[in-house]
Amino acid sequence: MVFLLTILQILFSIIVVLLSTYSIITSDYQLNFLVLFFLGLLMLIIGIKEFQRERKVSGWLHIGVFLFSIFVSIQIFFK
């Protein structure tokens, strides 16, 4: 389980960096909702890993950031 979470964390990190780099280079910010969506998923994975390490406060903080970023991502998508 930890190995799968690490793979997902690396994958989501690469996606966020690539989308952010593309947006900065091209000055096209229409994909910001995807950046926030994958950043939220990354926070979810980090939160789950924190719960496994028994760091409850940090885990809940990451879960809260996940919920907020997914909410904002959906708001931007439907705007």
Side-chain angles (χ1 to χ4, degrees), residues 61-75:
L61 180 66
H62 283 94
I63 299 295
V65 171
F66 156 72
L67 292 172
F68 180 72
S69 66
I70 294 298
F71 174 74
V72 171
S73 173
I74 292 170
Q75 290 291 328

Side-chain angles (χ1 to χ4, degrees), residues 8-9 12-13 15-16 19 32-48 59 61-74:
L8 285 174
Q9 183 179 359
F12 291 147
S13 298
I15 291 172
V16 166
L19 285 174
N32 274 350
F33 72 95
L34 284 176
V35 173
L36 282 173
F37 179 76
F38 285 113
L39 193 59
L41 291 177
L42 179 63
M43 290 296 116
L44 176 64
I45 298 300
I46 293 172
I48 292 170
L61 180 66
H62 283 94
I63 299 295
V65 171
F66 156 72
L67 292 172
F68 180 72
S69 66
I70 294 298
F71 174 74
V72 171
S73 173
I74 292 170

